[in-house]
Amino acid sequence: MANIFQTMKNVFTYKPEKGQAFELLEGSTEGVERENTPEAANLKPGSDTSDKTEGTSAEQTKDIPAEKNGKKVREKKTPLTVEEWNKQKNDEEASPDQTEEGLVSSDLSANLQKIKKEFGIPYNTDVMTRKFKIARKVNAFITYVDGMVDSTFVSDFVLRQLMEPRNFEEFFKEGNTENISDYINENVISVHEVGKMKDLNTIYFQILCGDTALFIDGAEMCLIISTRGYEKRSVEKPVTENVVMGSQEGFTENLRTNLTLVRKIIKNKNLITEMIKVGKTNQAYIGIMYMNGIVNQEVIKEVKRRLNSIDAAFVAGDGMVGQFIEDSPFMIFPQTLTTERPDRVASFLMEGKVAIISEGAPFAEVVPITFYHLLQTSEDSMVRWQYGSFLRIIRVFGIMVSAFLPAMYVALTLFHQEMIPTELLASIARSKEEVPFPTIVEIILLEISFELIREGGIRIPGVIGQTLGIIGALILGQAAVAAGLVSPILIIIVAVTGLGSFAIPNYPFGLSLRVVRFFFTFMAAILGFYGISLGLFLMACVACNIKSFGVPFFAPVAPKTKSAPDLVMRQPIWKQEERPDFLNPANRRKQSSNSRGWEHKKNGGKKQ
Amino acid sequence: MIKEGKIGVQEAIALIAITISVKVYFTSPSYVAKVVGTSSWYMTLISAATAIVGFAVLCKLLKRFPEKDLVEAFEQSLGRIFGFVFSLVLVLFLLISTAVMIREFAEVLKVYALPLTPPSFVIGILLTVTVLVCILGLESIARAARLFAYYILAGFLIVIVLAYNNYDYHNLFPIFGYGLDKTVIYGISRSSFYGEVITLGIIATSMQGLSHIKKAGYTALIISGLTTAIALGMSMMAFNYATGQEITSRMYVLSRIIKIGGFLQRLDPFFLFTWCIGTMVGISFLLYCTVSTYCKTFRIRDLRPTILPWAIILFTVSMIPDDLTTIAGYVQILRQYGWTIFFGLPLITLTLAVIRKKKGTSQRCQ
């Protein structure tokens, strides 16, 4: 109740406009072709960070508090008193990261106690500790999460090697002053990735990620051995974005697999993957992929700023990440593009967009996007431009049908009967004779039934789902007509609307149209075509107000920017010479004007 | 200063051209047929040409006061008191124009599409949407106008083309109507049909320089002049001048008489979309301009809180006339004498600025 009053109060209370939102299109550098900016200096071409998870994450963990501290400084405008300053200093000193409490101890039993305490052993049965002697001489133990590691790998390439005395003959020779951790790292463990760490919090996180931590008596360092081997789904066909022509690979729930799938398509040293950790409790990694030298650095900065600012306990999957970072959460239309196709992500990256790939869901989010991206599929580029354009026109028709057909029917039958040809009008009138409900109730009943069948069809397990959905709809429709609950023409209307909505390639966009359809139907019921026009105008203005990472939703049509050759009608692929202007990419040219080089006889079609 | 956002040339053209052209769907064409007869189609071109001259005066004024809008130009040229008075007159005139347009729309809609719906409900719901849209800002309205521009133009042209079998070019004769002199005089005095072009002066700071304003203004006037002339000419060919005077909305009835075979007929409700959306763009833009001018006059930094009160005032004013006949009378008065406000105020301001040697300075130069 209090919330309702608060909302009412907010409606009638004046609030000054917020500061300038992030703008990409109207920026001062609009239209200026740029080289790699100094901001990208830390990402020099070739310095691919994708395989340096540890280093990147360490940097990021430093970045996050820095951002937060910056925020704190901004918030506190008055100077601190001496007492406050002392308190703050004491708090900082008491922080476990800065004291020996937070570091690996040279005493093995102390380390073991800390591990047991932090992971709740023995109550927590997932975390395993295994004590042993290195080369039958030095006490040590390993810690790992059961199920997250490849146990055969741990046994064969970690324990066996460490326990074998012959591997340490050099080390125990007289006069050897080498540190045991370094010796093991360099000579004993034959694993591709081994790191040395001191900070216990980082070590805990690595253990949770599936690595094995090796603690050695007397050593103030811990060795983190990459032994990740949890169960994961293999690469399969995409479920929501099937195509006839084109790649048949889809993302999986594993972040590393997803990044590799994209990297497999773009074999370029300028493809950068940065890692950011989000979710305070579940600590999920998010990969930000972009093409250095193509992407606008402002977009990268904005993406990182938004991701770093997420302050939530649990973030899993792109759907959740998208909701945290989108510009206008109260708008009905999606402002990030969700795809489960690596080839699509690759093509977006080559256009100068940014992909955000998370752990836990077989999807990637692409930003910034416009309305026109929601109409496109990867198949459009795979087929000849005539077919691609035709398919898109069909999809636009599907969108129109999905959003407006029930509303048009309501408006026609309630307000504008003169538009219906006489024979059809008589037929509609006859079919409605038996029906006891008004048209609007009839259509809403049937629409809700259809949505129920659709939702139920997804939840029913296995292949029965779809079959039952279709049969259910047929039987239900037939029975409803026979019982005189709905008119037969309405079944056709709802069925065609459903077909139209299935033609929409983007699932979140399809969902938004399913909601909007009810709004238009309601408007049609109260004011006919005039009502639909009002709804459409309002919806268009609202959509024109949306921005996706600084790019207006209807760019490049409204506002008009330099024409892009790939909107609804698709130009031939060899004519798509430039990247979209509204992205302000660092490099606008995608291909030369002479991309069909073989046509030029002078040089025999050789690349110049 | 109010943050109104930035709009491009094409958005501005769409806004102005739609706001002007959509009036051909209302009662004006019938009245024009009454006063100038068969020559109405080129009379409107004379009006457009006069409006171009009026707009050129506005451009001169804006050139003299660079990076300033019309309200600031009034103030700098005429001083605070007279500038304030001029701005207030402009606000009131815009308010009345918008109110008349809303009521005219509601009445015509009642005649043809929603005979049982009370005009107050039609206006109320239209203003609710308009308020929401105005709160979203000028950028949203302009972008929506750009988005719908081709669709509205296509809808208009489809009506014109599909009604081809009703045209009789003999209906355009006698070519001089009731006399060339009458046509020219009416053409000049009815230039206020295109008067909305001066709203470019109100939103001048949202445009990127005078060259963009000029390009947008002249192009919008040419497009709206041509579409209006085509609408008047074709509807005159379909209905002779005697019948044309009696029809409330000639364009609407033109879409109604389309008949190509047994199936393709009575398409008028379909073209209702074109007309309604065009009117909504126009009304939203005019309300925005009214509120913007008011806020600039009274130096209110945020116009959002004033939109709802203005909409209520607009609703009240639009409900004052009794019926369509009364409102049609007001429309003709506005069209006949509106030029004195739309083009007269900038002309007086420019003349006094020249006499008093008042000139603005560009921030960019400094």
Side-chain angles (χ1 to χ4, degrees):
Chain A
M1 198 63 182
N3 284 342
I4 296 169
F5 281 120
Q6 189 60 42
T7 315
M8 294 281 282
K9 193 185 159 198
N10 287 343
V11 169
F12 291 105
T13 313
Y14 170 70
K15 282 184 206 135
E17 264 186 305
K18 285 179 190 169
Q20 193 70 32
F22 174 64
E23 295 276 356
L24 191 63
L25 202 59
E26 289 89 3
S28 52
T29 52
E30 157 70 14
V32 181
E33 293 277 325
R34 289 182 306 279
E35 295 300 316
N36 289 352
T37 50
E39 288 87 355
N42 59 335
L43 301 165
K44 283 173 192 162
S47 64
D48 189 336
T49 56
S50 61
D51 300 319
K52 296 175 184 170
T53 312
E54 190 186 304
T56 318
S57 67
E59 279 170 25
Q60 291 307 332
T61 44
K62 279 178 196 167
D63 285 352
I64 300 168
E67 181 75 21
K68 283 178 184 169
N69 285 343
K71 204 174 177 183
K72 275 179 192 168
V73 171
R74 278 198 298 278
E75 282 168 5
K76 290 201 171 187
K77 284 180 181 171
T78 49
L80 295 175
T81 60
V82 178
E83 286 79 9
E84 282 173 336
W85 186 82
N86 282 335
K87 191 171 176 292
Q88 195 176 315
K89 204 71 188 158
N90 290 338
D91 288 348
E92 279 173 16
E93 279 167 12
S95 165
D97 292 346
Q98 304 297 321
T99 60
E100 286 192 0
E101 281 292 300
L103 300 176
V104 175
S105 162
S106 57
D107 180 9
L108 190 68
S109 59
N111 287 331
L112 185 61
Q113 283 308 312
K114 280 176 197 166
I115 292 280
K116 283 186 173 175
K117 191 182 160 197
E118 284 296 326
F119 286 106
I121 300 169
Y123 305 109
N124 187 353
T125 52
D126 286 348
V127 183
M128 313 300 281
T129 52
R130 163 85 161 83
K131 282 198 244 175
F132 61 98
K133 279 185 189 291
I134 295 173
R136 296 181 193 166
K137 283 179 183 163
V138 183
N139 283 324
F141 74 89
I142 55 167
T143 305
Y144 58 90
V145 181
D146 195 17
M148 293 286 282
V149 298
D150 183 342
S151 48
T152 321
F153 190 86
V154 174
S155 306
D156 289 351
F157 297 97
V158 180
L159 287 175
R160 182 181 289 177
Q161 312 246 19
L162 289 170
M163 292 163 95
E164 176 59 56
R166 272 181 299 170
N167 290 341
F168 290 86
E169 280 170 2
E170 287 287 320
F171 180 74
F172 290 115
K173 268 185 187 170
E174 274 186 30
N176 181 24
T177 54
E178 199 176 354
N179 183 312
I180 190 162
S181 303
D182 292 338
Y183 181 82
I184 291 171
N185 186 12
E186 288 161 15
N187 303 296
V188 180
I189 298 176
S190 51
V191 176
H192 68 285
E193 200 179 329
V194 179
K196 287 200 300 183
M197 284 184 191
K198 221 173 179 181
D199 179 39
L200 280 171
N201 280 331
T202 320
I203 293 166
Y204 299 149
F205 178 68
Q206 293 301 127
I207 294 169
L208 290 169
C209 286
D211 289 343
T212 299
L214 169 65
F215 291 89
I216 305 161
D217 198 16
E220 287 187 339
M221 284 282 188
C222 165
L223 287 180
I224 296 293
I225 305 156
S226 179
T227 53
R228 293 175 197 192
Y230 37 78
E231 292 302 322
K232 57 189 179 194
R233 196 162 60 94
S234 59
V235 176
E236 288 168 17
K237 277 175 81 168
V239 180
T240 57
E241 286 177 278
N242 273 328
V243 293
V244 179
M245 294 182 77
S247 163
Q248 301 293 334
E249 278 182 343
F251 283 131
T252 70
E253 287 75 8
N254 185 266
L255 176 62
R256 184 53 56 193
T257 311
N258 294 346
L259 297 175
T260 313
L261 286 172
V262 179
R263 195 163 278 283
K264 206 171 72 175
I265 300 168
I266 306 176
K267 297 177 190 73
N268 190 301
K269 61 186 186 326
N270 287 337
L271 175 62
I272 307 293
T273 307
E274 289 192 53
M275 289 289 185
I276 285 184
K277 205 162 49 171
V278 296
K280 273 185 172 174
T281 307
N282 74 321
Q283 304 189 78
Y285 269 127
I286 288 181
I288 307 172
M289 290 191 106
Y290 56 89
M291 285 298 293
N292 204 23
I294 295 177
V295 73
N296 185 331
Q297 290 296 327
E298 292 298 316
V299 178
I300 294 289
K301 265 199 248 171
E302 184 65 15
V303 170
K304 285 200 269 190
R305 187 181 74 83
R306 290 188 192 183
L307 285 173
N308 279 326
S309 69
I310 295 175
D311 185 9
F314 181 67
V315 180
D318 301 88
M320 287 175 87
V321 175
Q323 290 179 65
F324 278 112
I325 61 169
E326 64 189 358
D327 292 61
S328 316
F330 290 102
M331 298 293 174
I332 191 90
F333 298 114
Q335 294 139 54
T336 57
L337 189 139
T338 309
T339 179
E340 59 172 328
R341 300 184 60 87
D343 60 329
R344 215 159 167 225
V345 167
S347 81
F348 282 131
L349 292 178
M350 291 304 293
E351 273 194 351
K353 297 189 182 75
V354 181
I356 301 161
I357 306 177
S358 320
E359 281 178 327
F363 293 98
E365 300 278 330
V366 178
V367 292
I369 59 142
T370 67
F371 169 78
Y372 302 96
H373 290 114
L374 302 172
L375 307 176
Q376 300 168 359
T377 67
S378 62
E379 195 171 29
D380 300 348
S381 311
M382 294 295 166
V383 295
R384 299 179 68 230
W385 65 271
Q386 299 93 332
Y387 318 147
S389 300
F390 172 72
L391 290 174
R392 281 192 193 162
I393 291 167
I394 295 289
R395 263 177 242 139
V396 171
F397 183 70
I399 288 170
M400 306 285 273
V401 163
S402 170
F404 297 112
L405 190 61
M408 296 286 258
Y409 175 76
V410 170
L412 276 174
T413 51
L414 293 184
F415 290 89
H416 311 287
Q417 300 89 346
E418 71 274 15
M419 202 178 159
I420 309 171
T422 318
E423 297 80 6
L424 187 59
L425 187 64
S427 163
I428 293 172
R430 265 199 308 275
S431 67
K432 274 189 70 70
E433 267 178 354
E434 304 287 318
V435 182
F437 304 116
T439 309
I440 180 70
V441 176
E442 205 184 347
I443 203 154
I444 284 178
L445 271 178
L446 211 61
E447 279 287 349
I448 290 173
S449 309
F450 185 80
E451 293 295 334
L452 271 176
I453 292 167
R454 201 165 159 168
E455 194 59 21
I458 296 170
R459 308 280 164 249
I460 299 168
V463 285
I464 317 163
Q466 283 183 348
T467 322
L468 204 69
I470 296 161
I471 291 172
L474 283 173
I475 295 171
L476 198 72
Q478 189 63 38
V481 171
L485 290 174
V486 290
S487 56
I489 195 152
L490 210 60
I491 301 279
I492 300 170
I493 298 285
V494 174
V496 175
T497 308
L499 270 181
S501 68
F502 285 124
I504 300 164
N506 186 278
Y507 187 69
F509 184 50
L511 282 176
S512 71
L513 286 184
R514 276 158 70 179
V515 178
V516 163
R517 181 193 306 153
F518 285 97
F519 169 67
F520 284 129
T521 310
F522 172 73
M523 291 302 283
I526 57 169
L527 280 168
F529 282 173
Y530 171 57
I532 300 175
S533 309
L534 276 169
L536 181 62
F537 178 63
L538 180 62
M539 208 51 86
C541 286
V542 167
C544 283
N545 199 42
I546 299 176
K547 283 192 177 103
S548 167
F549 282 78
V551 173
F553 193 56
F554 279 107
V557 173
K560 179 86 179 79
T561 61
K562 277 181 198 166
S563 64
D566 194 22
L567 290 179
V568 178
M569 299 299 285
R570 198 176 75 76
Q571 282 187 18
I573 203 149
W574 43 271
K575 282 193 107 180
Q576 297 178 19
E577 290 160 12
E578 293 191 333
R579 298 191 169 89
D581 179 46
F582 53 81
L583 292 171
N584 275 348
N587 179 4
R588 267 214 81 196
R589 189 154 279 279
K590 192 156 72 172
Q591 60 197 26
S592 73
S593 54
N594 185 18
S595 53
R596 279 161 66 94
W598 58 270
E599 281 184 330
H600 299 269
K601 289 172 187 170
K602 272 185 184 171
N603 60 1
K606 283 178 191 168
K607 282 178 188 172
Q608 290 175 349
Chain B
M1 187 188 254
I2 302 169
K3 282 180 189 167
E4 292 188 310
K6 291 279 173 205
I7 61 170
V9 176
Q10 294 211 11
E11 285 104 82
I13 292 172
L15 264 181
I16 304 294
I18 292 172
T19 309
I20 294 172
S21 309
V22 80
K23 285 180 282 184
V24 295
Y25 283 97
F26 299 142
T27 56
S28 292
S30 312
Y31 184 78
V32 171
K34 211 174 279 179
V35 290
V36 292
T38 51
S39 63
S40 54
W41 65 273
Y42 65 87
M43 183 220 75
T44 199
L45 292 176
I46 296 169
S47 302
T50 315
I52 286 175
V53 175
F55 180 67
V57 172
L58 177 75
C59 289
K60 280 271 177 209
L61 183 65
L62 293 176
K63 193 179 177 185
R64 203 169 174 83
F65 298 98
E67 292 160 41
K68 298 279 181 288
D69 55 45
L70 194 56
V71 176
E72 287 170 314
F74 282 158
E75 196 174 294
Q76 292 206 357
S77 170
L78 308 167
R80 287 194 75 163
I81 295 171
F82 285 104
F84 175 81
V85 171
F86 268 45
S87 303
L88 212 57
V89 169
L90 188 62
V91 171
L92 290 174
F93 193 73
L94 281 171
L95 171 75
I96 293 165
S97 302
T98 318
V100 165
M101 190 175 178
I102 291 174
R103 185 62 192 272
E104 197 183 7
F105 171 70
E107 289 293 339
V108 177
L109 200 65
K110 189 176 168 63
V111 169
Y112 291 109
L114 300 168
L116 302 175
T117 313
S120 56
F121 184 67
V122 171
I123 294 174
I125 205 153
L126 173 66
L127 281 174
T128 308
V129 169
T130 309
V131 166
L132 293 173
V133 167
C134 285
I135 288 171
L136 291 175
L138 179 65
E139 274 185 353
S140 293
I141 303 171
R143 285 173 189 169
R146 172 71 179 78
L147 198 65
F148 287 121
Y150 289 122
Y151 155 73
I152 292 172
L153 187 64
F156 169 78
L157 292 176
I158 288 170
V159 174
I160 298 292
V161 172
L162 291 184
Y164 72 96
N165 51 10
N166 298 291
Y167 297 148
D168 179 1
Y169 70 91
H170 291 107
N171 286 340
L172 290 179
F173 295 97
I175 198 82
F176 291 127
Y178 295 151
L180 192 59
D181 55 338
K182 210 169 184 182
T183 305
V184 172
I185 290 167
Y186 267 105
I188 292 169
S189 66
R190 283 185 71 88
S191 58
S192 63
F193 184 85
Y194 300 92
E196 282 83 357
V197 75
I198 70 131
T199 51
L200 279 175
I202 297 168
I203 58 163
T205 47
S206 298
M207 302 283 294
Q208 286 156 3
L210 186 61
S211 63
H212 281 218
I213 295 174
K214 278 183 181 173
K215 212 185 279 181
Y218 290 128
T219 317
L221 282 173
I222 291 167
I223 292 172
S224 48
L226 286 175
T227 48
T228 311
I230 291 170
L232 292 176
M234 297 301 173
S235 59
M236 184 58 76
M237 281 205 287
F239 318 103
N240 59 51
Y241 79 93
T243 317
Q245 294 171 24
E246 305 297 323
I247 299 169
T248 310
S249 169
R250 265 159 54 181
M251 276 305 288
Y252 194 88
V253 177
L254 191 66
S255 65
R256 185 175 269 190
I257 59 171
I258 290 171
K259 188 176 181 187
I260 303 170
F263 190 78
L264 211 60
Q265 56 176 315
R266 288 307 302 269
L267 297 174
D268 44 317
F270 187 71
F271 294 107
L272 201 66
F273 285 114
T274 321
W275 174 41
C276 288
I277 289 175
T279 311
M280 283 162 207
V281 170
I283 289 170
S284 306
F285 179 55
L286 287 177
L287 175 61
Y288 184 88
C289 286
T290 312
V291 177
S292 174
T293 315
Y294 170 79
C295 289
K296 283 168 186 166
T297 309
F298 285 92
R299 296 170 195 276
I300 298 168
R301 296 174 73 87
D302 189 356
L303 55 79
R304 291 177 307 151
T306 61
I307 293 171
L308 184 63
W310 269 107
I312 294 168
I313 295 169
L314 201 56
F315 178 81
T316 315
V317 174
S318 66
M319 291 308 293
I320 291 172
D322 291 333
D323 48 28
L324 184 60
T325 322
T326 320
I327 203 83
Y330 290 145
V331 171
Q332 297 329 312
I333 294 169
L334 282 179
R335 297 277 183 278
Q336 202 74 38
Y337 305 106
W339 64 271
T340 52
I341 306 293
F342 280 137
F343 303 119
L345 294 185
L347 182 66
I348 295 168
T349 312
L350 180 67
T351 314
L352 287 175
V354 172
I355 294 168
R356 297 176 70 203
K357 292 179 183 166
K358 294 278 182 185
K359 216 172 182 181
T361 48
S362 171
Q363 297 291 320
R364 281 181 200 161
C365 295
Q366 289 167 359

